[in-house]
Amino acid sequence: MLRDERIEQARNKIWAEMMQILYFIAILSFVIKILFLHQSLQDCAMEYLVLILTPLYQAVRARQLGVVLSAVADPKPKRLVASLVGGMIVVGLFYVLQGQEKQPSEVFTMLTIFVVVFLVVQFGMYRMGKRRQEKLEKEYDDEE
């Protein structure tokens, strides 16, 4: 039985949307368990695996299929600032909700490490995606 291309595209779109919803549920579950329920990383092993392996699988499959997904957008100042502020708030909440007595220097160090790692990953992924996209475009142009 042949399937109509529109039905196949709609089916794929529904599956993709469902995957995004499940991914965000895993993120929410992980944050709630760590921040509010004070569970250890071992108690959140499944969510942690989903959070790590999903983007990894997506990157590997995109590379195998010879496409560059627009998952990493051009790092615009407003978007970076919003992401950094959100991340810093989450890191700050983590320490506050854990109820641990931390020195301000420890919190500042953790926030600084977060900012540096975030920026390195953001710009690194953007540059890698852009280079890959240029390489694939050149490869496709050479075929024509």
Side-chain angles (χ1 to χ4, degrees):
M1 180 173 127
L2 295 174
R3 288 190 183 183
D4 185 3
E5 176 113 7
R6 292 175 296 162
I7 293 172
E8 195 67 30
Q9 286 179 346
R11 184 178 154 271
N12 290 341
K13 184 175 182 178
I14 291 168
W15 276 101
E17 290 169 350
M18 186 175 64
M19 182 60 206
Q20 283 184 326
I21 291 168
L22 292 174
Y23 187 70
F24 287 116
I25 288 171
I27 292 171
L28 186 62
S29 172
F30 183 77
V31 169
I32 288 172
K33 284 182 176 181
I34 293 291
L35 293 180
F36 299 110
L37 301 177
H38 307 291
Q39 293 183 352
S40 68
L41 193 56
Q42 290 84 7
D43 296 330
C44 306
M46 185 56 70
E47 290 90 344
Y48 189 71
L49 284 174
V50 168
L51 295 178
I52 299 299
L53 295 179
T54 299
L56 184 63
Y57 174 79
Q58 186 179 28
V60 168
R61 284 298 291 155
R63 190 162 188 88
Q64 287 176 342
L65 296 173
V67 296
V68 176
L69 301 176
S70 59
V72 179
D74 187 8
K76 295 183 174 137
K78 285 183 181 179
R79 187 179 299 144
L80 283 175
V81 169
S83 298
L84 282 172
V85 168
M88 291 170 65
I89 289 171
V90 168
V91 170
L93 275 174
F94 177 74
Y95 282 112
V96 169
L97 293 174
Q98 288 295 321
Q100 299 172 348
E101 294 296 323
K102 295 285 184 186
Q103 298 293 331
S105 61
E106 289 180 56
V107 175
F108 180 75
T109 302
M110 184 63 184
L111 289 175
T112 303
I113 291 170
F114 169 78
V115 169
V116 169
V117 169
F118 176 84
L119 290 174
V120 167
V121 169
Q122 181 73 20
F123 283 110
M125 292 301 291
Y126 172 72
R127 289 182 53 99
M128 284 174 40
K130 191 172 182 178
R131 283 185 189 158
R132 177 98 171 119
Q133 185 175 14
E134 290 168 358
K135 179 182 172 187
L136 289 173
E137 285 175 3
K138 183 179 177 188
E139 186 178 308
Y140 293 140
D141 287 343
D142 290 344
E143 288 178 3
E144 294 175 0

